[in-house]
Amino acid sequence: MNTFPNEMIDIVGIGASTLDRFIVVHHFPAGREVQQVISSTTDGGGPVATALATAGKYGSSTVMIDRIGDDMVGRYILEDFHKYNVNTETIQVAANAKSGTATILVKATTGERAVFFERSTASEPEFCEAYRELIEQSAILHINGRHRRLMRTAIELANSCGTIISLDGGAQRYDDDMKPITESSHVVIVARDYAEKYTGTTNLEEACRVIHDRGALIAGVTDGANGSYFVWPDGTAYRCQPFPQDNVVDTTGAGDSFHGAFLSKLAASIRQVNASNDESIKPIDILRSLDHKQLESAAIFASAVSALNTQGIGGRSALPSLETVLNLAELE
């Protein structure tokens, strides 16, 4: 495994990398039937993996940590990462193991999904010294609860060196073990379902406040087409409006791309601050100092990317160009 140059990396992610097969159908089968497929495509997947692909597409330097199989699927996963400028040097490849896959039925009329997945048979990646160096050099560590033993070690390292910890709390992913992980994270952006289970309230503005009060510097809750809610480091609340689309083709990756786009903007702000100072400042300290305009711009950018990503099939293939995002969001 190669070592990385002695310069800051924007985002390192720990999570599962998969291959997703999308099949667009007229309706979900209720029993035995034969139905002609409208269209299909294959795409890289995984919440953290797709967030990194999104950030990489929009200019961030990103590195993925995972372990996959040495099969044909694993080779596709690595090739797809390279399309989005994601560094794969720290992805371990297990001999005679199968990589993770998912088959996703997409209802043509609504964009609703039915997901059938097969977990990788590769074991959890083992911690190695290169990971320590990588986390110390990174502005942001992005996690979602996968590979928990490795993730806990990474969290301790990030806290000791001032690296920002970002948590993607996806729907149906909250459990009691995630409570201390959530409380240890600095940027906590979660789905409505996760927020309600973690905070005990269905009021999303109040949920953001609870997440913030429990330790997050940036607390966010996403609610699909209804927009998102935030509380910034100084306690100021912010409601980010959605960008409604006339026709939703596929919602796969909408939340993942939201995270990647938001983190890409945070990383850009951190780079800008460090470039204007003689001495490097810890990322966590820069996060505390960002003004409302920078943070709101990141949220708006993420909201636009997420909305536009629903206009095509796949979590990554449908990612819009930077110019398209900026035009929709009316950002410079």
Side-chain angles (χ1 to χ4, degrees), residues 31-111:
R32 183 176 179 179
E33 69 169 81
V34 177
Q35 181 181 162
Q36 183 172 341
V37 169
I38 297 173
S39 63
S40 64
T41 192
T42 302
D43 210 1
V48 170
T50 297
L52 292 194
T54 303
K57 180 180 177 70
Y58 299 127
S60 296
S61 59
T62 65
V63 184
M64 184 70 187
I65 294 176
D66 191 14
R67 175 178 275 171
I68 61 175
D70 62 349
D71 54 356
M72 182 176 66
V73 170
R75 292 191 292 275
Y76 182 96
I77 288 170
L78 294 177
E79 290 172 5
D80 196 66
F81 272 133
H82 297 157
K83 294 179 187 176
Y84 300 95
N85 306 309
V86 179
N87 189 304
T88 60
E89 290 181 29
T90 51
I91 293 181
Q92 301 172 14
V93 179
N96 303 314
K98 293 175 62 177
S99 300
T101 62
T103 300
I104 302 166
L105 299 186
V106 181
K107 189 185 294 186
T109 53
T110 64

Side-chain angles (χ1 to χ4, degrees), residues 225 242-249 303-304 306-311 328:
F243 291 92
Q245 302 297 301
D246 293 336
N247 180 43
V248 173
V249 177
S303 183
S306 178
L308 290 167
N309 201 28
T310 67
Q311 299 305 286
L328 177 65

Side-chain angles (χ1 to χ4, degrees), residues 17-18 20 25 69 108 132 146 193 197 222 239 254 264 315 330:
S17 312
T18 65
D20 293 348
V25 297
R132 178 186 303 276
R146 292 298 298 271
D193 171 78
K197 291 173 180 175
T222 58
R239 170 76 190 280
S264 73
E330 297 182 348

Side-chain angles (χ1 to χ4, degrees), residues 274-294:
N274 270 329
S276 62
N277 284 273
D278 294 333
E279 296 183 3
S280 180
I281 305 173
K282 289 184 178 181
I284 191 65
D285 293 328
I286 296 175
L287 180 63
R288 293 188 177 99
S289 69
L290 294 180
D291 62 37
H292 291 176
K293 183 178 180 180
Q294 291 169 298

Side-chain angles (χ1 to χ4, degrees), residues 235-286:
T236 301
Y238 174 68
R239 170 76 190 280
C240 185
Q241 297 297 326
F243 291 92
Q245 302 297 301
D246 293 336
N247 180 43
V248 173
V249 177
D250 176 28
T251 59
T252 304
D256 308 333
S257 62
F258 187 102
H259 281 86
F262 187 87
L263 294 180
S264 73
K265 283 294 187 180
L266 281 191
S269 295
I270 291 167
R271 284 198 309 272
Q272 185 177 25
V273 170
N274 270 329
S276 62
N277 284 273
D278 294 333
E279 296 183 3
S280 180
I281 305 173
K282 289 184 178 181
I284 191 65
D285 293 328
I286 296 175

Side-chain angles (χ1 to χ4, degrees), residues 139-323:
I140 301 167
L141 169 67
H142 187 50
I143 59 176
N144 77 325
R146 292 298 298 271
H147 305 326
R148 293 195 184 180
R149 185 174 57 185
L150 171 62
M151 184 189 64
R152 288 189 181 94
T153 302
I155 287 173
E156 291 178 7
L157 280 172
N159 277 320
S160 69
C161 63
T163 296
I164 297 164
I165 302 167
S166 163
L167 173 68
D168 171 1
Q172 311 304 321
R173 291 190 177 274
Y174 182 75
D175 56 47
D176 290 341
D177 193 41
M178 286 300 295
K179 186 175 187 291
I181 294 168
T182 308
E183 292 172 350
S184 298
S185 301
H186 307 117
V187 177
V188 178
I189 301 177
V190 302
R192 169 189 274 274
D193 171 78
Y194 192 106
E196 291 176 351
K197 291 173 180 175
Y198 174 63
T199 67
T201 179
T202 58
N203 182 310
L204 300 191
E205 292 184 15
E206 183 180 341
C208 270
R209 183 65 60 188
V210 172
I211 294 169
H212 186 267
D213 289 346
R214 289 181 182 176
L217 291 175
I218 292 178
V221 179
T222 58
D223 192 25
N226 296 316
S228 50
Y229 302 80
F230 289 90
V231 172
W232 302 135
D234 66 356
T236 301
Y238 174 68
R239 170 76 190 280
C240 185
Q241 297 297 326
F243 291 92
Q245 302 297 301
D246 293 336
N247 180 43
V248 173
V249 177
D250 176 28
T251 59
T252 304
D256 308 333
S257 62
F258 187 102
H259 281 86
F262 187 87
L263 294 180
S264 73
K265 283 294 187 180
L266 281 191
S269 295
I270 291 167
R271 284 198 309 272
Q272 185 177 25
V273 170
N274 270 329
S276 62
N277 284 273
D278 294 333
E279 296 183 3
S280 180
I281 305 173
K282 289 184 178 181
I284 191 65
D285 293 328
I286 296 175
L287 180 63
R288 293 188 177 99
S289 69
L290 294 180
D291 62 37
H292 291 176
K293 183 178 180 180
Q294 291 169 298
L295 296 170
E296 290 172 10
S297 176
I300 293 168
F301 182 76
S303 183
V305 168
S306 178
L308 290 167
N309 201 28
T310 67
Q311 299 305 286
I313 301 297
R316 303 179 195 174
S317 297
L319 284 169
S321 68
L322 179 59
E323 181 181 6

